[in-house]
Amino acid sequence: MKKMLVILLVMGLVFCLASMSILAEQADYTGKIGISLPTATHGYLGRVNWWVQKAVKDWEEKCPALEFLVLTADNVTKQAADIEDLMIKEIDSLIVFPFDASLTSIIEVAYKKGIYTVVISRGTTKPVYNVYISNDDEGYTREGTEWIAKELDYKGKMVIIEGIPCPINTTRIDTIKATAAKYPGLEILDSQPGDWNQQKSLTVMENYLQKYPQIDAVYTADDDMMKGALQAYKESGRSDIKIFLGGGASQEMLKRIIDGDKLVRANVTFPPDVMATAISLGVLGYNKQAFEGFYQKALPIRIILAAELITAENVDSYYNPDEMKEIK
């Protein structure tokens, strides 16, 4: 009996030491992490900000030695100044969700200073980063266009509302046009910028409705712009449009799919939790850590997230209404 008790005590001690080792390893993560992103002026960026708060909270609980500085900007000039300010505060890692690629020069300054740099989504004009993480923008709009074509039985008239002119917008629009061109019966009537803005997209859609007597599908590749387009269509009193397809999988649009909305029947993922992943990459990269089970000694320089089509068949797997709740 005593022998068994000793064995159990030893096993318990080993388990405690192992647990302490894991915790110590986590607590060993250090660094001042600077985070720069646009102000949450619309739904998608609101969700991005939610994930920033979650990631910071999770990391602070695991590794109290980490310090996070989060700055948001409502224009490119302010964001450039924010990045300069973060460098003055001697950050070790920089996480940037840029307004657009015009921020390349200031990001390059940080990168050349040896700051571990992670760039998200809208990109830079050259590889001035340790890691670039984004969505599969070709797959994102290819999946959407193929779904629209199939739903229209490969014939119909479609309008596009674009985002802000930038590399990813160019990739998306070029992919939509190239995919639609495979189907002679599918005609793109027009493509105008909505700047990822609901109000501007409403105005663009009003113009489309005045200009084109028949529209079968509206593709915005962004849920905020789709909200504006839907509002304009509802106020017009017309009933010819069969499909509105956005993107980004906002909870509001996923709920429409769940509820059986006849106009909004699908979406494509562009997960806002990419921001939380980018923050983790900044922590791991600065601390010279790679992924568990990843045999290379450094993180990959480019990470492209899968674009997944969401329909009534799988929408429950993506619906997460908590995403929009504020962390107090």
Side-chain angles (χ1 to χ4, degrees):
M1 186 71 180
K2 288 182 179 179
K3 184 176 180 181
M4 178 61 69
L5 181 60
V6 169
I7 292 172
L8 290 173
L9 288 171
V10 170
M11 289 177 66
L13 178 61
V14 169
F15 177 79
C16 288
L17 288 173
S19 300
M20 288 173 65
S21 174
I22 293 170
L23 290 173
E25 184 179 348
Q26 289 180 332
D28 282 344
Y29 285 176
T30 62
K32 185 183 289 187
I33 314 299
I35 302 166
S36 170
L37 69 158
T39 304
T41 55
H42 60 277
Y44 183 79
L45 284 173
R47 297 161 66 206
V48 166
N49 272 269
W50 187 89
W51 283 102
V52 169
Q53 295 178 59
K54 176 169 173 53
V56 168
K57 181 173 180 288
D58 290 346
W59 274 111
E60 285 177 337
E61 289 177 354
K62 288 189 292 186
C63 305
L66 289 168
E67 181 181 355
F68 295 91
L69 304 175
V70 181
L71 297 177
T72 61
D74 58 6
N75 58 67
V76 172
T77 303
K78 172 65 163 56
Q79 188 170 24
D82 283 349
I83 294 172
E84 288 181 340
D85 186 47
L86 290 169
M87 286 190 282
I88 291 170
K89 293 177 179 176
E90 299 183 338
I91 57 171
D92 301 301
S93 183
L94 173 66
I95 319 300
V96 186
F97 192 134
F99 262 93
D100 56 45
S102 68
L103 285 162
T104 297
S105 59
I106 188 63
I107 294 171
E108 183 174 16
V109 173
Y111 176 66
K112 287 186 173 179
K113 284 174 68 74
I115 296 171
Y116 193 90
T117 303
V118 181
V119 175
I120 305 163
S121 184
R122 296 174 189 174
T124 54
T125 56
K126 53 185 173 179
V128 289
Y129 43 73
N130 296 92
V131 180
Y132 172 72
I133 180 168
S134 183
N135 205 44
D136 176 7
D137 287 297
E138 291 183 1
Y140 180 70
T141 43
R142 186 186 310 111
E143 288 278 352
T145 309
E146 290 284 2
W147 181 83
I148 288 173
K150 184 177 179 181
E151 289 294 299
L152 294 178
D153 198 22
Y154 304 99
K155 57 182 181 295
K157 301 179 185 296
M158 179 170 70
V159 293
I160 301 169
I161 302 180
E162 306 181 17
I164 293 171
C166 65
I168 66 167
N169 183 67
T170 299
T171 298
R172 291 177 179 183
I173 301 307
D174 287 350
T175 303
I176 293 171
K177 291 178 178 179
T179 306
K182 297 192 302 181
Y183 308 108
L186 189 59
E187 179 185 359
I188 295 178
L189 296 173
D190 211 331
S191 183
Q192 298 293 328
D195 294 348
W196 291 313
N197 178 276
Q198 181 176 339
Q199 187 58 44
K200 183 167 182 180
S201 299
L202 184 151
T203 301
V204 172
M205 191 64 207
E206 287 175 338
N207 293 336
Y208 282 164
L209 291 166
Q210 293 173 8
K211 187 175 180 180
Y212 301 107
Q214 181 191 341
I215 300 173
D216 297 298
V218 179
Y219 194 8
T220 66
D222 173 89
D223 286 346
D224 291 304
M225 294 196 298
M226 184 169 67
K227 286 173 66 175
L230 280 164
Q231 182 182 341
Y233 180 62
K234 180 180 179 181
E235 292 173 355
S236 74
R238 283 175 51 165
S239 59
D240 53 314
I241 299 178
K242 303 174 180 67
I243 294 169
F244 282 79
L245 183 62
S250 72
Q251 302 309 305
E252 178 182 349
M253 294 307 162
L254 296 190
K255 186 66 165 59
R256 283 177 178 257
I257 297 172
I258 291 170
D259 293 342
D261 191 310
K262 292 182 179 180
L263 292 176
V264 182
R265 305 194 298 276
N267 208 285
V268 185
T269 61
F270 190 169
D273 60 7
V274 63
M275 192 71 200
T277 299
I279 292 170
S280 294
L281 290 170
V283 172
L284 293 173
Y286 172 68
N287 286 276
K288 302 187 185 308
Q289 300 293 312
F291 300 127
E292 183 178 352
F294 192 71
Y295 283 77
Q296 288 69 44
K297 303 304 180 186
L299 295 169
I301 191 170
R302 293 185 184 87
I303 300 173
I304 307 300
L305 305 176
E308 302 166 85
L309 181 70
I310 302 174
T311 63
E313 285 69 35
N314 63 354
V315 65
D316 288 340
S317 300
Y318 298 90
Y319 187 56
N320 174 27
D322 286 346
E323 189 180 82
M324 291 303 294
K325 293 180 181 178
E326 291 183 3
I327 298 177
K328 304 297 184 185

